[in-house]
Amino acid sequence: MGADRDFPTPADATPPALAAVDILGPVAVIHVSGEIDMTSRDAVERVLTRTVDGRPDTVVIDLSDVTFFGSSGLQMLAEARSHAAANRVTLRLVASSRKVLRPLEITGMTAAFPVYASVTEAVSA
């Protein structure tokens, strides 16, 4: 048998979703990057939950650097919306790529969340 050149290696794998939080006064911005699927959802969800539990006035979820947005991501946002409402925290989304906007549009979630093209827009809204 030859070398395993045709099979992806861990170095070739797409990194899981990562989430980092910036606090801008009463607004927390969660920057999410990578793929949001069933394998990475829990890590992002933990960051969302902790951020909402801190009770800022508004949480902006920046999905600008998300490379894949599956049904797990949609479910995560629906649950985050409920958790935020229970804590009286406003959620806003930043999404400009078709990879994220299309699933949001197809499922009607653009009606449930204010969606902005940039973090600057979402923070100043």
Side-chain angles (χ1 to χ4, degrees):
M1 292 264 151
D4 290 334
R5 279 181 255 149
D6 296 333
F7 297 99
T9 65
D12 298 329
T14 304
L18 301 172
V21 181
D22 288 328
I23 305 298
L24 307 171
V27 178
V29 180
I30 303 172
H31 303 279
V32 183
S33 62
E35 295 185 352
I36 300 180
D37 58 19
M38 63 188 206
T39 63
S40 60
R41 173 199 161 165
D42 290 345
V44 176
E45 188 171 36
R46 280 192 297 274
V47 172
L48 276 166
T49 300
R50 279 196 309 262
T51 303
V52 168
D53 287 347
R55 293 210 169 107
D57 291 346
T58 302
V59 172
V60 173
I61 305 169
D62 177 13
L63 302 171
S64 300
D65 293 327
V66 170
T67 56
F68 176 81
F69 194 70
S71 60
S72 293
L74 293 166
Q75 183 179 7
M76 176 190 70
L77 288 181
E79 290 171 8
R81 183 172 179 259
S82 295
H83 185 66
N87 285 282
R88 297 187 178 148
V89 173
T90 300
L91 284 185
R92 297 178 186 152
L93 300 181
V94 174
S96 56
S97 76
R98 186 132 175 93
K99 291 175 187 176
V100 176
L101 282 173
R102 189 68 179 141
L104 292 171
E105 291 167 349
I106 288 171
T107 58
M109 290 189 80
T110 52
F113 289 95
V115 180
Y116 299 88
S118 72
V119 171
T120 303
E121 277 184 44
V123 169
S124 63

